[in-house]
Amino acid sequence: CIQSKKEWKRVSGLFRKTSRAFERCFSALAATIVLLILSALFDMSRRWNVEMLASISFAFILPGVLWTAATTTTACNRLPSLVMLCEVDDEDEDAEYMDLAMFLSLSECGFFVWDTCVT
């Protein structure tokens, strides 16, 4: 379990560093989606149907990136319950698994944008 904690610290540190690196990109992507929807509404008001289709198609494709970031956080949040499913006969080893699960749940690993968890 000690080796697992060390590995988890490294993984959660990588998540935090990656999150900091992509904060502005993530926000710009979200703003781009909003602007694409607004431009599609503008094109619809002018009855420019072909131009509207391009905006709408991009507005529906781009959230996939945001969805991926949110699913990594969800996967990290579900990991402690997966550790708790391990059945062990020895009580000392069971206590180590409980300690590991508690460590994983308190580490708050995932994708963060300006210290706000993206889920």
Side-chain angles (χ1 to χ4, degrees):
C1 285
I2 293 173
Q3 184 64 28
S4 298
K5 285 183 181 181
K6 287 179 182 178
E7 290 294 322
W8 188 252
K9 284 180 183 179
R10 190 174 66 172
V11 168
S12 65
L14 287 173
F15 268 116
R16 291 291 179 147
K17 288 278 191 187
T18 304
S19 296
R20 284 191 196 110
F22 286 111
E23 282 174 341
R24 290 187 179 102
C25 179
F26 189 85
S27 300
L29 185 61
T32 301
I33 293 169
V34 171
L35 291 174
L36 281 171
I37 291 171
L38 291 175
S39 74
L41 291 174
F42 177 76
D43 291 342
M44 187 185 315
S45 71
R46 300 285 185 165
R47 299 193 193 279
W48 296 338
N49 294 331
V50 175
E51 290 84 356
M52 181 186 69
L53 287 175
S55 297
I56 288 176
S57 64
F58 278 118
F60 283 118
I61 291 171
L62 288 179
V65 176
L66 307 179
W67 181 262
T68 303
T71 56
T72 57
T73 304
T74 304
C76 290
N77 289 338
R78 291 183 181 166
L79 192 60
S81 61
L82 180 66
V83 170
M84 292 304 298
L85 289 175
C86 296
E87 292 186 27
V88 183
D89 294 331
D90 186 23
E91 288 184 21
D92 292 334
E93 199 171 341
D94 189 40
E96 286 183 20
Y97 276 109
M98 297 260 307
D99 184 43
L100 178 63
M102 182 64 80
F103 176 78
L104 293 175
S105 64
L106 294 176
S107 68
E108 294 185 356
C109 186
F111 191 81
F112 287 78
V113 175
W114 286 289
D115 294 328
T116 303
C117 186
V118 177
T119 55

